[in-house]
Amino acid sequence: MRRQLFFRMDPPKVLVIGFGAIILLGTLLLSLPASTVNGRGLTFLDALFTATSATCVTGLVVVDTGDIFTRFGEMVILSMIQIGGLGFMSFATLLAFILGKRISFKERLIIQESMNNATVEGIVRLVKRIFIFTAVVEITGGIILSLRFSQEMAAGKAIYFGFFHAVSNFNNAGFDLMGGFKGLTEYVEDPIVNLTMISLISLGGIGFIVMNELFEYRSTRRISLHSKIVMAVSGVLVFGGALLIFIMEFNNPSTLKPMSMTGKIFGAFYQAVTPRTAGSNTLNIPDLKQSTLFLIIFLMFIGASPGSTGGGIKTTTFAVLIGAVKSQIRGREDITFFGRRMNYSIISKAMTVSLIALFLVGSITMILTITEPGKDFLMIFFETVSAFSTVGLSMGLTPELSSYGKVLITITMFAGRIGPLTLAFAVTKKRKEDHYRYPAGKVMIG
């Protein structure tokens, strides 16, 4: 009866309740004495913050993961990262496969909503492939990182570290076990760690829909408009961002200046890739120039792509907005990409998502300037965008947040992972179609 009631709800409500239940369970587990090294467990608020950050694959932490948690606590976090990254409905579908149960149409709609897929057709087959893709990528990344870490750690620890960081980065979570809130700064010039992490982050952030199309390309010889836009925008943001970071940080004595040319290139590329909602870092974020920090805020706000493990307003949303501006400047009515016209509903959705996101980020930032007096505005703004876009990069504010600040950032992470539009649909009444239209009116713009 409860299961029927749960799946009778609108898909957005199911997603909100489902993610909320996972976060609550994680909060209870991280509050247990067995979860922390000191044997006392986290306080409820810190446990809630950490569970939300892990389930929403953000990576912002109020306590250092490698220093505070036991293996049990770390495995709880890793489990929430995996479930949160792939979506709890994907795991529910996997369980149904194992038990031999049929996936109902309503459940397929919920999976479609959770993955931002355009159609329900083939959604179950896509979920099966998602688990195959995930297993192959995470195992491959885990093996490579394990072999690298084994050069400086015991074999067992190296394997554990390798697979933990592979899962964390593929799911764009950004949690690390290095301790001392230092992230991966020790590996800034390491080619194996850099290339492996960048590959994991990129594959997780590009979206399973694109990965599936690339996998089928040999037989279909077809790439959809969605995938073309995702790959084009992702390429511009990564390579353009890396070039700008390289230029702005080249002579910064606290970041790139002391490094070799190879280290400078790796450092610039990693910091351009990680704002795509990954959250791990090889440069110390507070040491970056303000211009670089502002660029990273811009990259974080755009985020990853639909149907991925990442957040943000998404690359396709950004592309549609740029297309709208371009069309207006040229005096054209249609927004076109690769010889295809965008429907009005897509343009309207892109604008709605962006405006809700801007309103949420602006509101939370303003409130945090009140709850966190004396803190630098750029630091507060950076942390808020990082939370909303489920990135996890931090200028050091998160561990110093007040109780009110932790609650606000927790809400922001949750809203960012669910998606601003999905969350808005979940908290409003059931949507009804209008059976009439008002007369057209004119308003002066600009």
Side-chain angles (χ1 to χ4, degrees):
M1 181 64 70
R2 289 180 180 177
R3 183 178 181 275
Q4 292 176 351
L5 179 63
F6 183 70
F7 286 106
R8 201 177 299 147
M9 299 178 184
D10 289 341
K13 288 185 173 66
V14 173
L15 293 179
V16 170
I17 294 173
F19 271 102
I22 295 169
I23 290 170
L24 180 59
L25 176 61
T27 300
L28 296 175
L29 291 174
L30 293 177
S31 300
L32 296 176
S35 291
T36 57
V37 175
N38 62 15
R40 293 195 293 268
L42 292 181
T43 63
F44 177 80
L45 186 55
D46 285 350
L48 176 64
F49 188 102
T50 305
T52 305
S53 183
T55 305
C56 298
V57 289
T58 305
L60 288 175
V61 291
V62 288
V63 296
D64 188 83
T65 309
D67 293 336
I68 299 299
F69 294 103
T70 60
R71 288 287 184 263
F72 172 77
E74 291 168 358
M75 290 309 297
V76 169
I77 291 172
L78 195 64
S79 300
M80 288 188 290
I81 288 172
Q82 190 72 85
I83 294 172
L86 299 185
F88 76 93
M89 277 307 301
S90 297
F91 281 90
T93 305
L94 177 64
L95 182 61
F97 290 152
I98 295 172
L99 297 178
K101 292 186 176 181
R102 180 177 173 275
I103 310 299
S104 69
F105 183 71
K106 181 71 174 183
E107 291 165 344
R108 292 167 193 257
L109 287 175
I110 297 170
I111 299 169
Q112 177 196 0
E113 181 78 23
S114 69
M115 297 182 62
N116 286 323
N117 202 25
T119 175
V120 75
E121 183 182 355
I123 196 71
V124 174
R125 182 175 68 252
L126 179 59
V127 170
K128 291 179 182 178
R129 286 188 176 174
I130 284 173
F131 280 98
I132 295 173
F133 291 153
T134 300
V136 170
V137 173
E138 289 181 351
I139 290 173
T140 303
I143 291 173
I144 295 172
L145 291 174
S146 298
L147 292 173
R148 172 61 187 86
F149 291 147
S150 66
Q151 298 177 12
E152 53 199 49
M153 303 175 186
K157 185 178 180 181
I159 293 171
Y160 179 72
F161 268 50
F163 279 88
F164 185 99
H165 289 92
V167 173
S168 178
N169 282 275
F170 175 71
N171 287 283
N172 281 213
F175 281 82
D176 70 83
L177 301 177
M178 298 305 171
F181 292 105
K182 63 189 177 204
L184 300 171
T185 52
E186 294 180 358
Y187 299 95
V188 63
E189 298 191 63
D190 189 294
I192 296 176
V193 172
N194 273 270
L195 293 174
T196 303
M197 294 294 195
I198 287 173
S199 299
L200 288 167
I201 294 166
S202 299
L203 288 172
I206 201 171
F208 295 110
I209 300 166
V210 178
M211 291 175 65
N212 187 52
E213 287 192 7
L214 293 175
F215 177 76
E216 293 181 339
Y217 181 74
R218 290 183 63 182
S219 58
T220 63
R221 293 295 173 181
R222 176 182 171 275
I223 297 293
S224 69
L225 175 63
H226 168 84
S227 296
K228 289 178 181 177
I229 292 175
V230 166
M231 290 188 288
V233 175
S234 297
V236 170
L237 292 176
V238 169
F239 287 96
L243 178 61
L244 289 174
I245 292 173
F246 181 84
I247 293 170
M248 291 186 289
E249 295 295 322
F250 190 86
N251 289 318
N252 186 345
S254 300
T255 56
L256 297 186
K257 187 175 181 179
M259 299 179 191
S260 64
M261 183 56 68
T262 302
K264 287 181 170 69
I265 294 172
F266 278 138
F269 259 101
Y270 200 101
Q271 267 51 234
V273 170
T274 195
R276 311 301 310 288
T277 83
S280 58
N281 59 290
T282 56
L283 295 179
N284 192 23
I285 300 300
D287 290 339
L288 297 172
K289 293 181 178 179
Q290 287 194 347
S291 56
T292 307
L293 292 170
F294 194 80
L295 172 62
I296 289 176
I297 289 173
F298 173 74
L299 294 174
M300 289 194 298
F301 188 73
I302 296 172
S305 302
S308 71
T309 59
I313 63 170
K314 304 296 192 294
T315 51
T316 47
T317 303
F318 176 69
V320 171
L321 293 177
I322 294 298
V325 172
K326 183 179 177 182
S327 294
Q328 283 293 315
I329 292 174
R330 291 186 172 184
R332 297 177 179 174
E333 289 188 6
D334 293 338
I335 300 174
T336 58
F337 293 98
F338 300 101
R340 293 291 185 272
R341 173 176 55 85
M342 295 290 104
N343 292 328
Y344 174 77
S345 60
I346 295 174
I347 302 167
S348 178
K349 186 175 181 179
M351 294 177 64
T352 303
V353 167
S354 302
L355 286 174
I356 293 175
L358 285 169
F359 178 78
L360 178 62
V361 168
S363 299
I364 295 296
T365 301
M366 182 179 67
I367 299 171
L368 283 173
T369 59
I370 300 171
T371 64
E372 315 301 315
K375 301 298 182 182
D376 182 69
F377 175 78
L378 183 60
M379 179 183 285
I380 293 174
F381 186 40
F382 188 98
E383 222 81 1
T384 304
V385 175
S386 180
F388 167 75
S389 298
T390 68
V391 178
L393 292 176
S394 175
M395 290 181 64
L397 175 63
T398 300
E400 301 176 3
L401 287 172
S402 65
S403 296
Y404 296 111
K406 290 177 184 178
V407 171
L408 287 167
I409 292 296
T410 299
I411 294 171
T412 307
M413 290 189 292
F414 185 76
R417 180 64 183 98
I418 297 297
L421 198 57
T422 300
L423 189 63
F425 286 160
V427 299
T428 55
K429 293 181 179 180
K430 190 172 182 179
R431 304 183 295 283
K432 296 180 180 180
E433 291 186 10
D434 292 331
H435 298 290
Y436 56 88
R437 297 180 73 183
Y438 290 102
K442 292 186 178 181
V443 177
M444 301 303 294
I445 300 295

